[in-house]
Amino acid sequence: MPHDDRVTLPSFPTLESLPAAEHASLVAAPVAAALAGWPGAAQVAVVDIDPELADTAAMSEAYGIPMTASGNCVVVAGSRAGDERVAACVVRADTRADVNTLVRKMLDVRKASFLPVDRAVEETGMEYGGITPLGLPGGWRVLVHEALLDEPVVVLGSGVRRSKLLVPGPLLADLPGAEVVAGLGR
């Protein structure tokens, strides 16, 4: 009898999950590479979703997931003395990243702006609407909204629009390069 590695998480009974590290074909290549080298990967699941429902609000409604259990990842950049500083900000989906004050100060730049979509997609190797903090380019800071650590499971992008990662909230503090930031989401 073939082994069935599907799991239904009690928190989200509408989503059938699979161990993400064992199903690299369901995530973007940089995410699969990051999962392969990260000890926390054993606790991460991946779920197939309708790519038309990849945007957080649509996904939350369609699959019955509270916005507080979803994390949005936005990429922000600024410069100081010709030195560009980039950060991925992962905030609870019912908030917005405090880019103009907190992130700007953390990057120590005069002005912080969202990275243009085409550039974010090219540099991450991920699809727009699927960018995630796992598998980002080296040198990018990963700022994680402290509130996400309180969630039993957080739904994040997988690098592609047709799936999502399910990550235990406390594990977000252990993402490669993660900096947990109070008040990141407002």
Side-chain angles (χ1 to χ4, degrees):
M1 176 175 236
H3 174 66
D4 184 2
D5 58 1
R6 290 177 295 171
V7 179
T8 300
L9 295 179
S11 316
F12 308 124
T14 58
L15 299 173
E16 261 187 49
S17 63
L18 301 167
E22 297 172 22
H23 295 276
S25 64
L26 295 176
V27 302
V31 176
L35 285 167
W38 181 45
Q43 299 176 59
V44 177
V46 64
V47 294
D48 264 319
I49 64 163
D50 179 339
E52 295 298 316
L53 299 172
D55 293 330
T56 306
M59 183 209 54
S60 293
E61 184 177 332
Y63 296 104
I65 298 168
M67 294 289 278
T68 56
S70 291
N72 287 333
C73 183
V74 295
V75 182
V76 177
S79 296
R80 177 169 291 281
D83 177 37
E84 183 177 56
R85 300 162 188 195
V86 180
C89 303
V90 186
V91 297
R92 205 170 66 190
D94 65 341
T95 68
R96 294 178 186 253
D98 183 5
V99 173
N100 294 317
T101 305
L102 184 61
V103 175
R104 180 184 56 78
K105 287 179 182 176
M106 289 187 74
L107 292 177
D108 190 26
V109 295
R110 292 181 200 269
K111 182 181 179 201
S113 303
F114 293 105
L115 208 60
V117 172
D118 56 343
R119 184 169 165 213
V121 166
E122 181 180 334
E123 291 187 25
T124 63
M126 300 179 202
E127 294 175 3
Y128 176 71
I131 294 176
T132 192
L134 195 56
L136 294 170
W140 285 19
R141 293 176 73 180
V142 178
L143 308 179
V144 177
H145 187 187
E146 179 183 51
L148 288 170
L149 276 57
D150 295 332
E151 294 297 323
V153 178
V154 176
V155 179
L156 294 173
S158 65
V160 295
R161 290 182 61 85
R162 69 178 193 94
S163 67
K164 294 287 184 182
L165 296 176
L166 305 180
V167 182
L171 190 62
L172 294 175
D174 297 332
L175 288 170
E179 300 172 49
V180 176
V181 181
L184 181 61
R186 306 185 100 201

